[in-house]
C-alpha cells in the first residue's frame, strides 16, 4: 500500500498534502490531510495527529484551524485523517442522522453488524495509518502527539490513554469526556459495540483513567458558550476522574467561546506549542 497524492499546495514554507490510500482495516479508500513543514527536508520531524468531530472529514481542520503557520515555525508534521470509512457499500444511519454512521466513526472498532466490516477506525489509527506514515513520510515516530475536537477529542483522549508509550503529548478541544454518560456516546457505542456497557469502557476517557490509565499531563480547552457543554461534553466528569486518580489535567474554560472552528483557531497555537515543548520540537 502507498499514498496517492490528491492535492498539494505550498503553505508557510512547507507543503499541505491530501493523500488517498486503500485501507485494509476499513475495506475502503481513505483520505488523510498531511502538512509537512520545511524542516522535514533536512531531517525527520515530530508528528501531531488531529482527530475531527461529528460530520467532519480530513478537510475541516486543514482549511479552518489555521494551524500551518505555527506548525511550520515549530517543525511539526500535522496529520488529519477522515472521521469514518466512506463509499457506496459502507452502511450509514438508516434515518440519515448526523451523529452515527458516515462521518461519525467514533474512533472505535465496531463489533456489531452491519458496522463491523468497515467501522474500524481504532485499528486504522492505532496500527495501519501510523505504519503508512512511518514508511512514506519524513516523520519521527518516536515523537508523537495527538489532539482532537468533540468526537475527535474523545478519540484523542482514549487513543492516548490506551497507548502512553506512543504519545508524549495529548490534548483536546471540547471533547466528549465520557461517552458512557451522554446521548451521543450511548447511541454510538450501543450500536457499534453492543449492549454490554462494560465493553464500552475502553472508549471512555473517564473510565480508562478510573481503570489506571495515565499520561504525564493533559490539556483541554472548553468554551463556556458551547451549546453541547452540559448535555454531551460534560468536562466536569473528566475533571473529577482526573482529580480522584491524580492524573494531571489543565482544563481551561474559555469564556464566551462556542463549539465551532473559530474556537479551535483561537487556541490552536497554544496547543501546538504545548505539544512541541513535550515533543522536543524547535
Amino acid at each position: 500500500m502507498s499514498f496517492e497524492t490528491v492535492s498539494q499546495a505550498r503553505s508557510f514554507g512547507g507543503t499541505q498534502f491530501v493523500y488517498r490510500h486503500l485501507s485494509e482495516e476499513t475495506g475502503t479508500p481513505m483520505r488523510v490531510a498531511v502538512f509537512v513543514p520545511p524542516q522535514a527536508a533536512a531531517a525527520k520531524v515530530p508528528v501531531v495527529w488531529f482527530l475531527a468531530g461529528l460530520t467532519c472529514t480530513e478537510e475541516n481542520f486543514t482549511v479552518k484551524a489555521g494551524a500551518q503557520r505555527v506548525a511550520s515555525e515549530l517543525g511539526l508534521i500535522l496529520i488529519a485523517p477522515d472521521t469514518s470509512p466512506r463509499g457506496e457499500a459502507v452502511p450509514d444511519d438508516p434515518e440519515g442522522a448526523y451523529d452515527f454512521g458516515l462521518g461519525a466513526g467514533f474512533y472505535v472498532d465496531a463489533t456489531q453488524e452491519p458496522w463491523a466490516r468497515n467501522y474500524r477506525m481504532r485499528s486504522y489509527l492505532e496500527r495501519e495509518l501510523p505504519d503508512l506514515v512511518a514508511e512514506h513520510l519524513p516523520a519521527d515516530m518516536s515523537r508523537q502527539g495527538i489532539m482532537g475536537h468533540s468526537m475527535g477529542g474523545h478519540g484523542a483522549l482514549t487513543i492516548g490513554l490506551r497507548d502512553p508509550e506512543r504519545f508524549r503529548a495529548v490534548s483536546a478541544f471540547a471533547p466528549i469526556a465520557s461517552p458512557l454518560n451522554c446521548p451521543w456516546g450511548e447511541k454510538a457505542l450501543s450500536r457499534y459495540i453492543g449492549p454490554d456497557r462494560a465493553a464500552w469502557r475502553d472508549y471512555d476517557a473517564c473510565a480508562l483513567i478510573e481503570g489506571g490509565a495515565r499520561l504525564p499531563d493533559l490539556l483541554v480547552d472548553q468554551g463556556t458558550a458551547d451549546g453541547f457543554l452540559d448535555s454531551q461534553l460534560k468536562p466536569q466528569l473528566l475533571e473529577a476522574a482526573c482529580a480522584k486518580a491524580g492524573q494531571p489535567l489543565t482544563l481551561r474554560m474559555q469564556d464566551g467561546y462556542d463549539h465551532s472552528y473559530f474556537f479551535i483557531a483561537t487556541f490552536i497555537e497554544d496547543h501546538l506549542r504545548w505539544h512541541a515543548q513535550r515533543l522536543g520540537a524547535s
Side-chain angles (χ1 to χ4, degrees), residues 10-25:
R10 197 75 169 150
S11 180
F12 294 100
T15 306
Q16 179 66 60
F17 294 94
V18 175
Y19 294 119
R20 178 171 50 225
H21 71 97
L22 182 62
S23 169
E24 292 183 354
E25 288 292 348

Side-chain angles (χ1 to χ4, degrees), residues 44-47 49 79 129-131 133-135 139-144 166:
K44 291 184 177 183
V45 295
V47 177
W49 299 77
I79 301 178
L129 188 54
D131 287 347
V133 168
E135 182 178 356
D140 182 351
M141 302 301 279
S142 69
R143 294 188 290 167
Q144 295 185 65
R166 175 181 167 194

Side-chain angles (χ1 to χ4, degrees), residues 54 83 99 104-108 151 154 176 179 184-185 188-189 192 203:
L54 290 167
T83 54
D99 56 356
F106 251 82
Y107 305 103
V108 307
M151 177 186 72
H154 138 75
I176 302 172
W184 279 342
L189 295 178
Y192 288 136
Y203 298 108

Side-chain angles (χ1 to χ4, degrees), residues 202-220:
D202 217 23
Y203 298 108
D204 185 293
C206 295
L208 288 168
I209 291 167
E210 290 167 1
R214 296 290 183 273
L215 289 163
D217 50 15
L218 293 169
L219 172 64
V220 173

Side-chain angles (χ1 to χ4, degrees), residues 3 8 14 68 80 87-88 106 108 110 112 131 138 147 152 158 209 233 265:
F3 286 134
Q8 65 183 82
Q68 290 88 346
E88 292 184 3
F106 251 82
V108 307
Q112 304 299 298
D131 287 347
M147 63 171 77
T158 54
I209 291 167
L233 306 177

Side-chain angles (χ1 to χ4, degrees), residues 11-14 16 35 37-39 61-62 65-76 78 265-270 272-273:
S11 180
F12 294 100
Q16 179 66 60
F35 175 75
Q39 295 88 336
F61 174 78
T62 303
Q68 290 88 346
R69 176 185 61 82
V70 180
S72 179
E73 174 194 335
L74 298 173
L76 299 171
L78 299 179
T266 301
F267 299 105
I268 188 63
E269 181 168 351
D270 288 358
L272 289 175
R273 293 192 183 281

